[in-house]
Amino acid sequence: MASEDGGIPEKMDAIVCYGIKDYRWEVVDVPKIEAGEILTKVLAVGICAGDAKCYAGAMLFWGDKDREAYCQPPIIPGHEFICQVVQLGDGAAEKTGLAIGDHCISEQIVPCWECRYCKRGAYHMCIPHNIYGFRQPTPGAMASYMKFPAGSITHKVPKEIPAWQAAYIEPLACSLHAVERGDIQFSHVVVVSGCGPLGLGMVAGAKQKNPALLIALDMFDWKLDIARQCGADVVLNPGKCNIVEEVKKLTDGYGCDVYIEATGHPSSVKQGLLMIARLGTFVEYSVFGSETTVDWTIIGDTKELNIHGGHLGPGTYPKAISMLQKKELPMDKIISHQLPLKDVVQGIDMVNKSSESIKVVLLPTGK
């Protein structure tokens, strides 16, 4: 087993989720690793909208009459992170190509590699679905150190990407997967609804597909300004115009060919179904705080739409890393806030309000 010089402490600071709106700053044991595992020092960790909605009590995480709770407290949250290797279990270096001191990331899900989804190559659909920061086998990155289990999927990250930017690799990988689910063609008009961290990554990813027209929607004009920097051809604020009419005006009355929903708000779903063209593709990639009701007749009997869900970022991490390395996004605008780890609740509140932030990153070192 290889370790960095200077030794590894026995204890560390961490945020621990105990329940809805019950996140605590504690001192806990530094994880111990076994063969094939990797111990890392956390350099930066982002607050996902999913983290914020988990904190607020969204049904996906805490269950309802139709499904069990996904979150398994007490658990250290955090699945958007960048780390530095400090210890390698036997065989881990040979398997991953990582060395002590490397910057690295583990994809947010640790697959079992035994279920039917893993065996089919769809590891992002794995059951039991152990995502860092929610499940007992996979504590997350809101701590000084974290462990990558033997089954994890790891990527080396160039050190030239600053840690506060590299924490965006995971959400960008998710954004790129959503873009791929849209099956964007050169002739398409594409609409991305929502210009938060995911939506801006979707705009940047969609731009690289070279659609005929790329439209970004958001309720905040300052976020739309950043969407332009990410590649949007047209930006529209639904609070200031009839968004369905405006999109139809831009498309000779047909509507958009691809609509990517990234807000998690019911109104965005309805407007998307109204503005999308016949035979269009609707991509849903967000976590909702409550149920959404729409007239599903429009999907089948009226427009014969393709409805595609999107989850995680399978196969897209290398592209996400490359885009950051090449400075293809305005990261100084997307990473709007950097806070010390202890201010996690303040950061979560900022994410849930969304009016003054895009991506909030926590720094366990406080630097």
Side-chain angles (χ1 to χ4, degrees):
M1 183 179 294
S3 301
E4 71 173 357
D5 295 335
I8 296 165
E10 293 292 322
K11 299 288 185 178
M12 67 177 183
D13 295 326
I15 302 299
V16 182
C17 164
Y18 283 90
I20 298 171
K21 296 186 178 179
D22 187 5
Y23 284 39
R24 307 176 195 175
W25 171 267
E26 295 186 348
V27 176
V28 302
D29 292 336
V30 171
K32 304 294 184 183
I33 65 169
E34 299 179 354
E37 297 182 330
I38 302 171
L39 182 66
T40 68
K41 181 184 296 182
V42 180
L43 303 178
V45 53
I47 301 177
C48 175
D51 294 320
K53 289 176 180 176
C54 179
Y55 177 84
M59 294 180 294
L60 168 66
F61 304 103
W62 300 106
D64 56 24
K65 62 182 178 61
D66 297 316
R67 52 189 166 179
E68 295 181 359
Y70 180 70
C71 187
Q72 297 176 333
I75 188 70
I76 298 172
H79 58 274
E80 302 178 357
F81 51 80
I82 181 66
C83 298
Q84 185 173 35
V85 177
V86 297
Q87 191 175 55
L88 291 157
D90 292 342
E94 293 78 7
K95 177 184 175 183
T96 65
L98 293 173
I100 300 298
D102 282 347
H103 287 192
C104 62
I105 187 172
S106 172
E107 295 196 17
Q108 69 278 79
I109 189 169
V110 179
C112 71
W113 302 114
E114 294 295 331
C115 72
R116 75 176 186 178
Y117 300 108
C118 286
K119 290 179 178 179
R120 292 174 179 175
Y123 65 86
H124 63 304
M125 289 290 119
C126 171
I127 296 174
H129 216 70
N130 289 323
I131 294 179
Y132 290 111
F134 297 107
R135 311 290 284 181
Q136 283 297 313
T138 48
M142 291 188 187
S144 302
Y145 294 85
M146 72 178 295
K147 178 176 72 173
F148 296 173
S152 60
I153 304 171
T154 61
H155 302 274
K156 184 176 178 179
V157 177
K159 290 185 178 180
E160 66 194 76
I161 303 175
W164 60 273
Q165 295 184 18
Y168 186 63
I169 292 170
E170 189 273 351
L172 181 55
C174 292
S175 299
L176 297 177
H177 179 53
V179 168
E180 289 190 333
R181 293 289 286 157
D183 191 24
I184 296 169
Q185 307 297 313
F186 294 135
S187 62
H188 283 170
V189 173
V190 178
V191 171
V192 175
S193 179
C195 293
L198 288 178
L200 291 172
M202 292 168 186
V203 171
K207 188 65 174 180
Q208 297 203 4
K209 296 289 187 177
N210 294 311
L213 187 66
L214 178 56
I215 304 169
L217 314 179
D218 200 272
M219 296 293 289
F220 297 102
D221 289 341
W222 67 273
K223 293 186 179 183
L224 292 173
D225 290 339
I226 301 172
R228 283 193 183 277
Q229 296 177 50
C230 290
D233 301 309
V234 175
V235 297
L236 297 170
N237 185 328
K240 296 183 176 181
C241 66
N242 184 318
I243 207 74
V244 175
E245 288 185 1
E246 290 300 317
V247 170
K248 289 192 173 182
K249 286 179 184 177
L250 292 166
T251 56
D252 296 325
Y254 289 103
C256 62
D257 301 286
V258 179
Y259 183 89
I260 306 178
E261 203 292 301
T263 71
H265 195 281
S267 64
S268 177
V269 175
K270 184 175 181 179
Q271 76 182 14
L273 292 175
L274 291 174
M275 77 170 60
I276 198 168
R278 295 169 187 257
L279 303 177
T281 297
F282 186 114
V283 179
E284 181 55 61
Y285 201 117
S286 51
V287 175
F288 286 76
S290 60
E291 292 184 350
T292 298
T293 301
V294 295
D295 180 1
W296 275 63
T297 307
I298 197 171
I299 295 170
D301 196 48
T302 306
K303 294 185 175 181
E304 195 174 323
L305 300 177
N306 302 304
I307 305 296
H308 291 175
H311 183 55
L312 306 185
T316 54
Y317 277 73
K319 176 62 174 176
I321 293 169
S322 173
M323 289 177 71
L324 293 187
Q325 187 176 18
K326 294 176 181 178
K327 304 182 187 303
E328 293 179 344
L329 295 99
M331 293 306 300
D332 58 327
K333 304 292 180 60
I334 293 174
I335 308 299
S336 58
H337 295 80
Q338 300 177 55
L339 303 174
L341 182 63
K342 64 181 178 61
D343 291 342
V344 61
V345 173
Q346 176 188 345
I348 286 173
D349 288 342
M350 294 173 70
V351 171
N352 276 328
K353 291 175 183 176
S354 82
S355 59
E356 298 179 357
S357 70
I358 297 180
K359 173 53 64 182
V360 179
V361 171
L362 303 174
L363 305 175
T365 62
K367 298 178 181 178

